[in-house]
Amino acid sequence: MKPLRQQVMETVAFIEPRIKGSVDIGFLTGTGLSQTLSSLKVIWEIDYADLPNFPQTTVESHRGKLVYGRIADKSILVMQGRFHLYEGYTPRQVTYPVRLMQELNIKNLILSNAAGGINLNFSSGDIMLIQDHINLTGQNPLIGPEEPAWGIRFPDMTRVYDKGLGALARKCAADNDIILREGVYAGLLGPSLETPAETRFLKGICGDAVGFSTIMEAIAGVQAGMKILGLSLITNINNPDAPEQTTLKAVVETAQRASGKMNLLLCDMISQMP
Ligand code: HPA
């Protein structure tokens, strides 16, 4: 097998001639959120299957397409469909899109996901600005041989989610009459959902939302020196004292129902991003 960076550079060599100038923003979409950007003027889209060395998605609710386009004066590369540890991908495969973005010199990374609400003040359909995260996956994309071109060995994690982008999210939410929750995303391996005892534990360690994505990409993004915005769409509320059953179907339906709001927020934000 070729070294990982060489693989990424081959994907870069395929994409670079197809983009004009620099790309301002990279966006990884979450469950049920792949069509999130209505004002995106698509320039081209390529199935992951047609990208050299790119991992393939296995989850039906994730489409597996790379889309290049523009919103206002910003150019953006959207990964519709991400890779999850629970699918059996390694942390390095999960972060392949982030490394690709890094090698394309993309400085802003947007991560969206569907998540369960742990904070009982939240409602299903709410959007939560991720202020910080707790990595409970037991995994890390920086494990293994060091790749100096991708950053330092022990990146500082005290400022993962960019304060400026957070402030812009608050402003755009207010301008569009969108309630914006804020909190801590607890990232688990999945794919089994949480027991009430696990939910109680997540509450106890100050988690506000829980999900099975985002953390690996955020860690790689920090190492890459990217400004990161994380948004969770709360698709269900996990109350350990009155547990309700959750299904993927319900999660996807709620995410799709609320995706208009996510769309409005993101399109407004992207057009105003520095
Ligand atoms: N738990 C984990 N991941 C999720 C959930 C949940 O309750 N809802 C949507 N993604």
Side-chain angles (χ1 to χ4, degrees), residues 41-95:
K41 291 200 178 63
V42 175
I43 298 170
W44 52 249
E45 33 181 68
I46 301 174
D47 285 344
Y48 287 175
D50 298 324
L51 287 173
N53 305 334
F54 214 72
Q56 303 304 313
T57 44
T58 64
V59 183
E60 216 183 293
S61 47
H62 291 255
R63 290 180 53 190
K65 248 193 210 179
L66 177 65
V67 183
Y68 172 60
R70 300 192 73 83
I71 292 182
D73 61 340
K74 304 291 186 316
S75 59
I76 178 162
L77 205 51
V78 186
M79 307 267 173
Q80 289 184 344
R82 59 147 65 87
F83 308 105
H84 300 89
L85 295 170
Y86 64 72
E87 295 172 272
Y89 294 109
T90 64
R92 286 179 175 232
Q93 286 175 308
V94 170
T95 50

Side-chain angles (χ1 to χ4, degrees), residues 31 114-117 185 188 192-194 210-212 233 235-236 238 246 251:
T31 305
Y185 177 88
L188 304 184
S192 53
L193 296 164
E194 300 73 43
V210 57
F212 307 143
L233 203 139
T235 55
N236 51 283
N238 298 340
T246 304
V251 165

Side-chain angles (χ1 to χ4, degrees), residues 232-247:
S232 290
L233 203 139
I234 306 298
T235 55
N236 51 283
I237 300 296
N238 298 340
N239 180 350
D241 298 319
E244 285 184 21
Q245 294 195 337
T246 304
T247 62

Side-chain angles (χ1 to χ4, degrees), residues 9 12 19 24 28-29 36 41 47 61 76 86 118 132 145 169 178 182 203 209 216 234 242 252 272 274:
M9 294 314 285
V12 169
I19 55 184
D24 300 307
L28 293 180
T29 66
T36 317
K41 291 200 178 63
D47 285 344
S61 47
I76 178 162
Y86 64 72
I118 307 231
D132 202 352
I178 294 169
E182 301 194 26
K203 250 169 106 86
M216 297 298 113
I234 306 298
V252 173
Q272 295 186 49

Side-chain angles (χ1 to χ4, degrees), residues 7 23 27 32 64 71 95 102 109-110 155 167 194 199 254 266 270:
Q7 292 181 43
V23 180
F27 178 24
I71 292 182
T95 50
Q102 178 176 15
L109 177 63
I110 302 177
E194 300 73 43
T199 299
T254 307
L266 277 174
I270 288 167

